[in-house]
Amino acid sequence: MNEPVNEARRALNETPADRVVGGVGEVLARSYGITDVELYQVDYRLAELLPLTEGDPITSPGHPAWRAFDHQSPIVSDGSAWIPVTMRGERRGVLYLSPVADEAEVVAALTDIATALAHELAAVSPGTDVYRAARRAQRLTLAAEMQWDLLPGRSRIRPSFSLAGQLEPAYAVRGDSFDWSDDGQQLWLSTVNGSGEGVAASLLTSLATHALRNARRAGLNLADQAALADQALYDLYRGEQHLSALLMQLDLRSGVMTVVDAGSPRLVILRGGDVIEQPLEAQFPLGMFEATDYQEQKFPLEVGDRIFVVGDGVLEATGQHTRYGETALDRFLRRTGPMEPLDAVRSLIGDLRAFVAGDLVDDAVVVCLDWLGPQP
C-alpha cells in the first residue's frame, strides 16, 4: 500500500506547479481506478469550498465535504471520498475522489496522499496564481490582497499549542492583521489593530509587521521588538499615523506568557468554562511618539487555557443600532470550549455576521490560542 503513496509523492515533486492535482490524479487512476479527482479549497471567508477546475461551490454545512473539513477526518459515502487537505494544522480544503472503495487501507493511503498534496501546494503557491485565484469567491481589494499575503497562515498545530486567526471583512480588510512564529521552545504571536483606510492602512500594518519580524529574527526581546517597530513607524510617519498591537511570547516549556500591550486589542482567557480578562499594562501604540520605552509583563497559563485576542472591530460591530460589546462576546466565547481554534474563530465571525446582518463594515481580527501543555 505504500507504493502508491510514494508514487504520488514523486509525481508531486515532478509535476509542474500548476498541475500538481492532475499529477496526483494520474497516480490514483493507475493505482486505485479513481477517475474523478477535484480539489476544493476553502475561501477567504471560511464560508465556501471552491473547486479548482469545475463544479459548484459547496456551502451547505451538512455536506460530506464540510464534515471532512470540520472534523479533519475522511468521509466515504456512496462510492465517493472527501479527504482533508491539511498541513501542520493549516486547512487548505478537501480532495474529492470517486470511485473509492470503503476499505481502511485504501482510505489511509488516500489520506497520506492528501497530506502530501497539502505540503506541495504550500511549496508551489508562491510561484503560481492558480491556487490563490481559485480560492476566492469574489475579487479581493488591493488592500486585502496585501494583508492576506502578509499572513503566516490561518491555523497551526504543535503538541504544545493549537492556534488560528481570521480577518474580516475577508475580501476588503484594510489594516488589521496577525503574525506568528515558533521554534519549538518559544511561540511569538502579534495581533495588530490597524488604523486608516485602504492601501494606506495596509502599508502601515505591513511596515509594522516586517519591523517586528526583523527584530524577532535578530533575537531581540519582546520589549525591544516593540521599540524597533515603534521607531520604524515614527521615522516614516512622525506620529501622524500609528497603530495598536499586542505582542506575546509563550514559553513552550513552562507556559509563561510575556506580553507587551501597545494600545492593544482585547485579550481574554477561557479557563474551565469561565471568561477571565487578563489585566494588561496599557502602553502607547506603535509609532505614536519617538523612542517609547516599552515594558514587558509576564503571567502563567494553565494547561487547557484558551486565549482569545480580538480587535475593536469585534466589540464595535453594530446591528440594529446595538453594539456587539463585551457581554455578547464573553457569552459567545464560553460556547466555543469544545471547538478547535479555527472552528471557534469561524463561529465567532459567523456570529458577528449574523449580528450585523451581513459582512462587517469595519476591520475585525480574531486570534485563538490553546495552551495544551509543555513541549515534550
Side-chain angles (χ1 to χ4, degrees), residues 132-151:
R132 284 192 178 96
R135 60 182 283 250
R136 52 192 70 185
Q138 63 191 69
R139 183 173 179 176
L140 290 170
T141 64
L142 176 55
E145 189 88 50
M146 295 168 64
Q147 289 300 78
W148 283 105
D149 279 353
L150 193 63
L151 298 184

Side-chain angles (χ1 to χ4, degrees), residues 12 84-88 90-93 112-125:
L12 286 169
V85 179
T86 302
M87 176 200 69
R88 302 184 188 278
E90 179 71 20
R91 305 186 200 178
R92 303 191 70 94
D112 286 344
I113 290 171
T115 300
L117 173 62
H119 282 268
E120 192 64 22
L121 290 172
V124 303
S125 288

Side-chain angles (χ1 to χ4, degrees), residues 44-287:
Y44 287 87
R45 292 176 77 237
L46 292 169
E48 301 183 46
L49 289 167
L50 303 175
L52 180 62
T53 56
E54 59 184 19
D56 296 324
I58 300 173
T59 58
S60 172
H63 194 284
W66 275 112
R67 283 159 44 208
F69 182 87
D70 289 338
H71 299 291
Q72 287 297 286
S73 61
I75 301 293
V76 181
S77 176
D78 298 327
S80 299
W82 301 89
I83 313 291
V85 179
T86 302
M87 176 200 69
R88 302 184 188 278
E90 179 71 20
R91 305 186 200 178
R92 303 191 70 94
V94 294
L95 190 63
Y96 170 73
L97 307 171
S98 183
V100 171
D102 192 0
E103 300 174 5
E105 284 188 305
V106 172
V107 174
L110 296 177
T111 301
D112 286 344
I113 290 171
T115 300
L117 173 62
H119 282 268
E120 192 64 22
L121 290 172
V124 303
S125 288
T128 177
D129 290 333
V130 168
Y131 307 103
R132 284 192 178 96
R135 60 182 283 250
R136 52 192 70 185
Q138 63 191 69
R139 183 173 179 176
L140 290 170
T141 64
L142 176 55
E145 189 88 50
M146 295 168 64
Q147 289 300 78
W148 283 105
D149 279 353
L150 193 63
L151 298 184
R154 254 195 305 216
S155 51
R156 181 90 165 90
I157 295 176
R158 285 197 69 141
S160 55
F161 69 85
S162 185
L163 175 63
Q166 175 67 3
L167 306 178
E168 287 290 329
Y171 290 92
V173 66
R174 299 173 292 275
D176 283 13
S177 189
F178 56 84
D179 191 30
W180 61 61
S181 177
D182 76 273
D183 64 3
Q185 298 185 42
Q186 305 287 333
L187 167 66
W188 292 270
L189 172 62
S190 61
T191 305
V192 170
N193 201 87
S195 63
E197 298 293 330
V199 172
S202 292
L203 288 170
L204 180 67
T205 298
S206 179
L207 176 58
T209 300
H210 283 98
L212 290 170
R213 287 175 177 172
N214 178 256
R216 184 184 73 221
R217 292 164 183 169
L220 302 186
N221 64 35
L222 211 60
D224 288 341
Q225 291 176 30
L228 189 147
D230 172 70
Q231 194 62 46
L233 294 182
Y234 187 84
D235 286 347
L236 186 61
Y237 296 102
R238 311 308 295 179
E240 295 181 3
Q241 295 288 330
H242 48 79
L243 51 77
S244 300
L246 180 64
L247 312 185
M248 295 178 281
Q249 181 179 348
L250 176 60
D251 189 315
L252 301 179
R253 298 159 297 186
S254 66
V256 172
M257 180 75 83
T258 303
V259 172
V260 171
D261 175 0
S264 77
R266 183 170 183 246
L267 182 149
V268 296
I269 299 175
L270 189 63
R271 177 177 294 163
D274 295 325
V275 173
I276 302 168
E277 184 155 8
Q278 174 64 43
L280 299 177
E281 181 184 343
Q283 301 176 72
F284 291 125
L286 301 178

